[in-house]
Amino acid sequence: MAVKRGFSTEANWYSRSLRAEMRIKAHEKICPFALAKHLEIPVYAMSSFMGDIPSAVEFFSSDEGCRMLSAVTIFLQNNKRVIIHNDAHDPKRQAANIAHEIAHALLLHPPKPPFDENGARDYSPELEEEANLLGPALLISEEAALWIARNGWPLEKASQIYGASEELVRMRLNLCGAYRRVNRGRAA
Amino acid sequence: MATGKFDGEAFFAALDAQRAAKRLTWKKVAEQAGVPASTLTRMSQGKRPDIDSLASLCGWSGLKAEDFYKDTPGIIARPEPLAEMATLFRGDRRLSKEGAAALETLLRTAYERFRIDGD
């Protein structure tokens, strides 16, 4: 599903603006936990529920369960958000999951019931697509993508530095046209 | 003169109504009002705006801050049944029966915990 026109520019604006607010250079790594704290959004690890509901936590820690739950935002009274993330995922995946939920919060996406009337997961493709674009843009800003391309870092190195998966870094490099822009700048 | 506590929740709801009427994104609201990118999300989390941001948002919207002072606390809503719980979810859309049950358990427990924590 296509997002609205100009959304990439909007995503890059959020990423740049939030780094400036947090006094982080535009191309530098941002910690999603610190960003959530800056936005006043509490983040809880799923494992913190182990004492209360061990079988559910163990299920979502299994390979099958990990695929089913990455993170969930719940809305409390007064519509306050709380993020619960699956900390059985590897740290880079956790970063992406939390960034995705933060993206929903920045765009102030409205909540939905967890299940529809048929008991299936309720799902809004358009809102998910926006979060699928903004989440990675928060981790790898446009400036970060250009920085990676300018320095000629391999994906593995960029992934380590930014705490994001190689797949996510590649996606952002492509979406920002980073190599093309850097090469054009060098040729000029 | 109005006295009491500033009702940030009502102010935010009024802003949202204006935003919707003008068919703007929250980014546009932040830009046009000249407030930082995080301000509106932080307000939605119950954080009160700083005085400059409040003035800017009043200027942008035409709302008056004094209209949002309240003398008595608002009515606190009671917890919702699961069907009315509000979530945004990241994971595979195709939940197995076991997955759906585990998710329901997690959500119920989380709501219970955060209610006890006073949120």
Side-chain angles (χ1 to χ4, degrees):
Chain A
M1 166 166 288
V3 295
K4 62 180 176 283
R5 197 178 160 84
F7 187 76
S8 283
T9 305
E10 184 170 337
N12 291 335
W13 176 84
Y14 274 112
S15 192
R16 188 165 45 246
S17 302
L18 291 164
R19 277 174 171 74
E21 284 182 37
M22 295 173 70
R23 302 186 191 284
I24 298 169
K25 287 180 184 159
H27 69 274
E28 285 181 346
K29 176 186 177 180
I30 199 166
C31 167
F33 290 94
L35 177 56
K37 191 172 181 190
H38 177 67
L39 294 167
E40 309 274 341
I41 304 169
V43 177
Y44 291 85
M46 183 187 67
S47 62
S48 70
F49 292 89
M50 191 66 178
D52 300 315
I53 45 169
S55 56
V57 172
E58 278 166 13
F59 174 76
F60 284 128
S61 302
S62 68
D63 287 346
E64 182 193 2
C66 265
R67 283 194 296 276
M68 291 186 188
L69 176 67
S70 299
V72 60
T73 298
I74 66 172
F75 290 72
L76 306 176
Q77 289 157 2
N78 303 333
N79 271 334
K80 277 192 185 176
R81 291 163 195 255
V82 173
I83 295 172
I84 300 170
H85 76 102
N86 190 343
D87 51 335
H89 286 188
D90 72 74
K92 290 176 185 174
R93 178 70 190 273
Q94 290 180 41
N97 293 339
I98 293 165
H100 179 96
E101 298 304 314
I102 290 174
H104 280 305
L106 287 167
L107 299 167
L108 289 155
H109 286 162
K112 294 180 74 67
F115 304 105
D116 66 18
E117 64 271 20
N118 300 315
R121 276 272 328 286
D122 212 338
Y123 186 81
S124 175
E126 191 181 344
L127 302 189
E128 288 305 316
E129 193 54 33
E130 288 187 351
N132 284 341
L133 286 173
L134 178 53
L138 294 173
L139 296 179
I140 308 288
S141 63
E142 181 180 27
E143 290 79 3
L146 292 170
W147 184 264
I148 292 165
R150 201 171 293 127
N151 285 290
W153 288 345
L155 284 177
E156 186 183 1
K157 180 176 179 179
S159 164
Q160 286 299 342
I161 288 174
Y162 285 95
S165 71
E166 291 183 25
E167 188 185 354
L168 189 149
V169 174
R170 186 188 296 113
M171 169 204 170
R172 286 294 298 156
L173 288 169
N174 289 339
L175 275 176
C176 295
Y179 286 112
R180 179 176 43 79
R181 288 162 67 183
V182 165
N183 289 335
R184 195 171 54 205
R186 282 178 180 151
Chain B
M1 183 181 162
T3 57
K5 198 172 172 183
F6 179 68
D7 187 348
E9 195 185 335
F11 182 74
F12 188 75
L15 273 184
D16 192 20
Q18 293 239 354
R19 178 194 68 84
K22 294 178 182 179
R23 303 173 74 86
L24 294 175
T25 63
W26 285 105
K27 172 187 177 267
K28 284 284 177 203
V29 175
E31 280 185 329
Q32 290 181 5
V35 299
S38 67
T39 298
L40 297 159
T41 297
R42 288 156 61 89
M43 284 175 69
S44 75
Q45 287 297 102
K47 183 83 177 173
R48 293 189 192 187
D50 63 68
I51 194 73
D52 291 336
S53 294
L54 180 61
S56 298
L57 290 168
C58 284
W60 174 80
S61 62
L63 296 169
K64 292 179 181 171
E66 61 261 37
D67 291 342
F68 296 89
Y69 293 145
K70 62 178 181 183
D71 295 324
T72 53
I75 297 165
I76 296 170
R78 294 320 308 156
E80 313 80 354
L82 185 77
E84 294 167 25
M85 278 184 189
T87 59
L88 287 163
F89 183 92
R90 187 177 204 215
D92 195 324
R93 288 181 61 191
R94 291 154 299 177
L95 276 178
S96 66
K97 205 168 180 181
E98 190 180 9
L103 178 61
E104 182 172 340
T105 303
L106 177 64
L107 293 177
R108 284 192 190 285
T109 308
Y111 267 88
E112 197 59 37
R113 176 193 287 188
F114 300 132
R115 197 163 67 238
I116 291 166
D117 287 350
D119 279 301

